[in-house]
Amino acid sequence: MELQPREIGVLTTLIEDYIQTAAPVGSRTIAKKSNLNLSPASIRNIMADLTEKGYLEQPHTSAGRIPSAQGFRFYVDTLLKYHPLSPEQRNQLTENMGDSRLDVSELLRNASRLLSAYTRQVSMVLAPKASNIGFKHIDFILLKPGLAMSILVVEGGIVRNKIVSVEPELGTDDLVTYSNYLNQLFQGRTLDQVRAKLLQEMDAVQREYQAISQQALVLAQQVFNGGGEREVYVEGTVNFFTHPEFANPAKIQELLRMLEERTCLLELLDKVSKPEGISIIFGREDDQEGLQEFTLISSPYLGQDDPLGVVGVIGPIRMDYAKVVPLVEFTAQVISQLLRNRF
Amino acid sequence: MELQPREIGVLTTLIEDYIQTAAPVGSRTIAKKSNLNLSPASIRNIMADLTEKGYLEQPHTSAGRIPSAQGFRFYVDTLLKYHPLSPEQRNQLTENMGDSRLDVSELLRNASRLLSAYTRQVSMVLAPKASNIGFKHIDFILLKPGLAMSILVVEGGIVRNKIVSVEPELGTDDLVTYSNYLNQLFQGRTLDQVRAKLLQEMDAVQREYQAISQQALVLAQQVFNGGGEREVYVEGTVNFFTHPEFANPAKIQELLRMLEERTCLLELLDKVSKPEGISIIFGREDDQEGLQEFTLISSPYLGQDDPLGVVGVIGPIRMDYAKVVPLVEFTAQVISQLLRNRF
DNA sequence: GACTAGCACTCTCTCGCATCGAGTGCTAAA
DNA sequence: TTTAGCACTCGATGCGAGAGAGTGCTAGTC
């Protein structure tokens, strides 16, 4: 079942032409574009073989061939040569990404926008998962009697706010006392560990009737329960319209719905959130709902060492992988680096 | 140029039918649907008059009529009877909006989602303008030597974070001193006043060489300069596809581009950010780019008394105003109320 | 004088049909 | 093994006839 050099040659030219034109490719075109010096008739024989082996498909008898999912898979896995980014591109991207003083959410949104602009595809960035990041600081600010704003800062400068209700008679000073207590208690733990510690401590305190710590812990509980909803920044949905495969609005609609509902998207992104680097998923292969005819190219970004979130691009299977893949990869790198600067 | 009762009758039935069907309406349909008891022929005469006066348009000679922008304007200004929301709807909407403990940005995004779900249109919420809201609290948290996270809380529990660089030798205690100083200095002012005070104070301090306050002010400056970018939460873009007028993808594309680029959208929303309550803008009238065939229905939401931001819905001119307008209005009310609870 | 029935006319939409052309698959010759 | 040639397939395009919805006008009716 190994492919012969000539078959590989034909497959490569065909895929690359198809990526450019989005139309079925005929034998004549390949005969001209490839440097195999074969006549269309010979090419036709090879194409027939490739079709039989499952690398090509034929929309109808009298049309050219288009690559199958298997064909694309083979292409990206073994044939594809990436265009490395030029130093100017790298610099430009790094600079535009920004001002490292930005809020993390703004930074990620920025990254998503840039990626979408450079690739001319729809891009997405999954925000960090907070559970295994280190706790840094907690703070309470009295908004009005009985109501306070809690501010949780974790490593990397990621901030989460939540309104909490407090005993009406509490003043600013009490809140400072509480936060001091909690900061000391949680120092040096990850958020997961903080949650565990919290439970354990509440148990202990309940037995000992320490009013101050008890109240503080109740506040902390309000902050730490729930949470965990991860933001996804999706940008460039307009780009769906620039691809000829979306002449059919129903397809865009399906995909847009998926992007908006988030749950399905979150699952998908979570799946690729492993430290293995770039990942390319074809909708047709994985049978993901809503991702029928599309490809998701994604790469995780790292905090210290383990993956925090994912950056990716979604587009038609027919995509300029040679260009897009390095862009996704580099964007992930830049994000990692910018975040690392803050630890 | 006043319209006669019969003309109004015809116009109303025609518009309401058009809102349902999205197709040109003929005389026969109106004869049946209106309760005027006139024959199609008479209706035709009236329609001819209405066309002459500019309330109706005729796509081509042998088609029915569709309402012109002027026709719609007249309809929404004088004929439209809103369907008030049922108490159940109100309760449901209020409950789903939330948990008032949410972060403001989450609250607004929620509101946008709900509005889009209820109206089946594309919805948007413009985040509060921070300049004339009261300063509440500022805080600095050391991330690592030389780098701190600043946290600015303003009235209503709106929080803004920004990374600031600090002198490398500063410790946590120094930052506490600074924030105490600044909190005292800015207490009771609006953000605009804070900015003014900041400039004034820097001037004074420079002359007096007070090291502590000088450093604190430099930090504050990092926090307060720039900023001011207002978020817009757009939800439900999928809904564009459910309207027959968008069979033409080019139209959706144009509009999506506007929604994504934000600048144009921000301008537009800023325009309607006055305390006058509900506002209905027809794209055709105002000649807004990208808003050619659409209507923007919007209503500001209030903080204490003055408008903070805007909530709105964008859709085809042919929209179920009777249902959508009250929904937009009520959503704005709920947001106002939820925010007010926090002051 | 207001309303309506009737009729000719207009214009779009939808078919069915023929044609075109890109591309294939097969065969036979180089 | 390669290639030239040829019949064949099938979608795309274009054209014309016919249907259908709707109008505008005229003449007749209450």
Side-chain angles (χ1 to χ4, degrees):
Chain A
M1 204 56 176
E2 283 288 293
L3 291 187
Q4 306 188 346
R6 297 199 328 184
E7 290 178 321
I8 290 183
V10 169
L11 185 57
T12 314
T13 358
L14 192 146
I15 290 185
E16 279 166 7
D17 188 81
Y18 181 71
I19 284 177
Q20 278 179 18
T21 63
V25 188
S27 51
R28 241 178 73 85
T29 318
I30 296 189
K32 271 189 291 180
K33 291 209 177 174
S34 79
N35 43 13
L36 294 168
N37 286 323
L38 291 176
S39 76
S42 311
I43 302 283
R44 281 206 283 282
N45 288 327
I46 303 174
M47 282 163 79
D49 292 346
L50 284 170
T51 310
E52 210 176 327
K53 292 184 185 169
Y55 293 93
L56 297 182
E57 281 171 6
Q58 207 167 10
H60 56 267
T61 346
S62 72
R65 306 295 212 287
I66 60 175
S68 68
Q70 184 187 335
F72 269 112
R73 171 55 64 196
F74 185 75
Y75 176 70
V76 299
D77 283 352
T78 75
L79 305 178
L80 184 57
K81 299 263 183 302
Y82 299 132
H83 297 318
L85 298 180
S86 68
E88 297 95 63
Q89 279 181 304
R90 298 168 93 93
N91 283 339
Q92 208 186 343
L93 216 149
T94 315
E95 273 172 34
N96 287 333
M97 192 91 77
D99 210 344
S100 63
R101 288 191 234 157
L102 287 177
D103 186 11
V104 173
S105 65
E106 280 176 78
L107 170 71
L108 296 180
R109 194 190 314 264
N110 244 350
S112 189
R113 290 213 175 114
L114 277 176
L115 190 56
S116 139
Y118 278 80
T119 60
R120 307 201 158 272
Q121 305 285 351
V122 180
S123 69
M124 55 198 74
V125 175
L126 176 64
K129 188 175 189 172
S131 60
N132 51 353
I133 314 183
F135 169 90
K136 196 92 197 178
H137 191 89
I138 194 168
D139 223 342
F140 298 99
I141 292 153
L142 199 63
L143 292 177
K144 67 175 194 183
L147 207 63
M149 170 66 76
S150 76
I151 292 170
L152 172 65
V153 183
V154 301
E155 262 183 340
I158 301 164
V159 182
R160 231 166 54 194
N161 319 309
K162 207 166 181 184
I163 306 261
V164 293
S165 44
V166 298
E167 301 290 321
E169 69 272 13
L170 289 184
T172 307
D173 296 343
D174 300 311
L175 289 180
V176 171
T177 316
Y178 292 167
S179 58
N180 285 341
Y181 168 72
L182 292 172
N183 278 319
Q184 202 173 353
L185 191 65
F186 296 150
Q187 200 61 35
R189 298 171 195 269
T190 68
L191 286 201
D192 273 344
Q193 291 168 339
V194 165
R195 284 207 186 82
K197 180 73 180 170
L198 184 58
L199 287 179
Q200 176 194 334
E201 206 66 12
M202 288 201 76
D203 210 41
V205 164
Q206 209 160 26
R207 268 176 279 138
E208 298 167 21
Y209 295 104
Q210 296 178 342
I212 293 178
S213 30
Q214 192 162 11
Q215 291 217 25
L217 291 172
V218 169
L219 281 188
Q221 209 183 20
Q222 288 189 57
V223 176
F224 287 102
N225 82 357
E229 280 157 35
R230 296 172 77 179
E231 202 58 61
V232 189
Y233 305 99
V234 177
E235 297 286 336
T237 42
V238 186
N239 288 320
F240 278 143
F241 291 88
T242 61
H243 307 305
E245 30 270 277
F246 300 137
N248 176 7
K251 284 189 195 168
I252 316 188
Q253 186 177 0
E254 185 57 32
L255 204 52
L256 264 187
R257 183 177 312 265
M258 187 189 93
L259 292 183
E260 249 180 32
E261 278 186 7
R262 305 281 146 126
T263 52
C264 177
L265 183 61
L266 274 172
E267 249 172 61
L268 189 59
L269 287 178
D270 203 49
K271 243 199 238 169
V272 294
S273 175
K274 289 157 199 159
E276 282 112 40
I278 210 82
S279 130
I280 301 180
I281 293 183
F282 297 124
R284 282 197 226 164
E285 285 179 342
D286 277 68
D287 216 23
Q288 283 289 340
E289 317 169 56
L291 194 66
Q292 297 302 308
E293 317 236 340
F294 308 96
T295 303
L296 172 70
I297 301 180
S298 64
S299 172
Y301 59 86
L302 314 176
Q304 288 292 46
D305 280 312
D306 31 38
L308 286 180
V310 178
V311 17
V313 150
I314 203 165
I317 298 201
R318 177 192 76 82
M319 214 194 287
D320 189 350
Y321 296 95
K323 185 186 127 195
V324 173
V325 171
L327 276 168
V328 171
E329 208 164 15
F330 185 65
T331 307
Q333 277 173 28
V334 176
I335 296 181
S336 303
Q337 198 186 322
L338 284 175
L339 287 183
R340 209 170 300 138
N341 284 345
R342 307 181 174 193
F343 274 90
Chain B
M1 205 56 178
E2 283 288 296
L3 291 187
Q4 304 188 348
R6 296 200 326 184
E7 291 178 320
I8 290 183
V10 169
L11 186 57
T12 314
T13 351
L14 192 145
I15 290 185
E16 279 166 6
D17 189 81
Y18 181 71
I19 284 178
Q20 280 178 16
T21 63
V25 188
S27 51
R28 241 178 74 85
T29 317
I30 297 189
K32 272 189 291 181
K33 291 208 176 172
S34 78
N35 43 12
L36 294 169
N37 287 324
L38 290 176
S39 77
S42 311
I43 302 283
R44 282 206 283 281
N45 288 327
I46 302 174
M47 282 162 79
D49 293 346
L50 284 169
T51 309
E52 209 176 330
K53 292 184 186 171
Y55 293 93
L56 297 181
E57 280 170 6
Q58 208 168 8
H60 56 266
T61 347
S62 72
R65 304 295 212 286
I66 60 175
S68 67
Q70 184 188 336
F72 269 111
R73 172 55 64 196
F74 185 75
Y75 175 71
V76 299
D77 284 352
T78 75
L79 303 178
L80 184 57
K81 299 261 182 303
Y82 299 131
H83 297 318
L85 299 179
S86 69
E88 297 95 63
Q89 280 180 304
R90 290 166 166 265
N91 283 340
Q92 208 187 344
L93 217 149
T94 315
E95 274 171 33
N96 288 333
M97 192 90 78
D99 209 343
S100 63
R101 289 191 233 157
L102 287 177
D103 185 10
V104 173
S105 64
E106 279 177 78
L107 170 71
L108 296 180
R109 193 191 315 261
N110 244 351
S112 188
R113 289 212 177 116
L114 277 175
L115 189 57
S116 139
Y118 279 79
T119 60
R120 308 200 159 271
Q121 304 285 352
V122 180
S123 70
M124 57 198 74
V125 175
L126 176 64
K129 188 173 189 173
S131 60
N132 52 352
I133 314 183
F135 168 90
K136 197 92 198 178
H137 191 89
I138 194 168
D139 223 342
F140 298 99
I141 291 153
L142 199 63
L143 292 177
K144 66 175 193 183
L147 206 64
M149 168 67 76
S150 75
I151 292 170
L152 171 66
V153 183
V154 302
E155 263 182 339
I158 301 163
V159 182
R160 231 167 52 194
N161 319 310
K162 207 167 182 183
I163 306 262
V164 293
S165 44
V166 298
E167 302 289 323
E169 70 274 12
L170 289 183
T172 307
D173 296 344
D174 301 311
L175 289 179
V176 172
T177 317
Y178 292 167
S179 59
N180 284 341
Y181 168 72
L182 291 172
N183 278 319
Q184 202 173 353
L185 190 66
F186 296 150
Q187 200 61 36
R189 298 172 195 270
T190 69
L191 287 201
D192 274 344
Q193 291 168 339
V194 165
R195 285 207 186 80
K197 180 74 179 169
L198 184 58
L199 287 179
Q200 176 194 331
E201 206 65 12
M202 289 200 76
D203 211 40
V205 164
Q206 210 161 26
R207 270 177 276 136
E208 297 167 23
Y209 295 104
Q210 297 177 341
I212 294 179
S213 29
Q214 192 162 10
Q215 291 217 27
L217 291 172
V218 169
L219 281 189
Q221 209 183 20
Q222 288 189 58
V223 177
F224 287 102
N225 82 356
E229 279 157 36
R230 296 172 77 180
E231 202 58 59
V232 190
Y233 305 99
V234 177
E235 296 286 337
T237 41
V238 186
N239 288 318
F240 278 142
F241 290 89
T242 62
H243 307 306
E245 30 271 276
F246 300 138
N248 176 7
K251 284 190 195 167
I252 316 188
Q253 186 178 358
E254 185 57 34
L255 204 52
L256 263 188
R257 184 177 312 266
M258 188 188 92
L259 292 184
E260 249 180 32
E261 278 186 7
R262 306 281 147 122
T263 51
C264 177
L265 183 61
L266 273 172
E267 249 173 58
L268 188 60
L269 287 178
D270 203 50
K271 240 200 236 169
V272 295
S273 175
K274 289 157 197 156
E276 280 113 41
I278 210 84
S279 130
I280 301 180
I281 293 183
F282 298 125
R284 282 198 228 163
E285 285 179 342
D286 277 68
D287 215 23
Q288 284 287 340
E289 315 170 57
L291 195 66
Q292 297 302 309
E293 317 235 340
F294 307 96
T295 304
L296 172 70
I297 301 180
S298 64
S299 172
Y301 59 86
L302 314 176
Q304 289 291 46
D305 281 312
D306 31 37
L308 285 182
V310 179
V311 16
V313 151
I314 203 165
I317 299 201
R318 178 191 76 83
M319 215 194 288
D320 189 350
Y321 295 95
K323 184 186 128 194
V324 173
V325 171
L327 275 169
V328 171
E329 209 165 13
F330 185 65
T331 307
Q333 276 173 29
V334 175
I335 296 180
S336 304
Q337 199 186 319
L338 283 176
L339 288 183
R340 209 171 299 138
N341 284 346
R342 306 182 175 194
F343 275 89

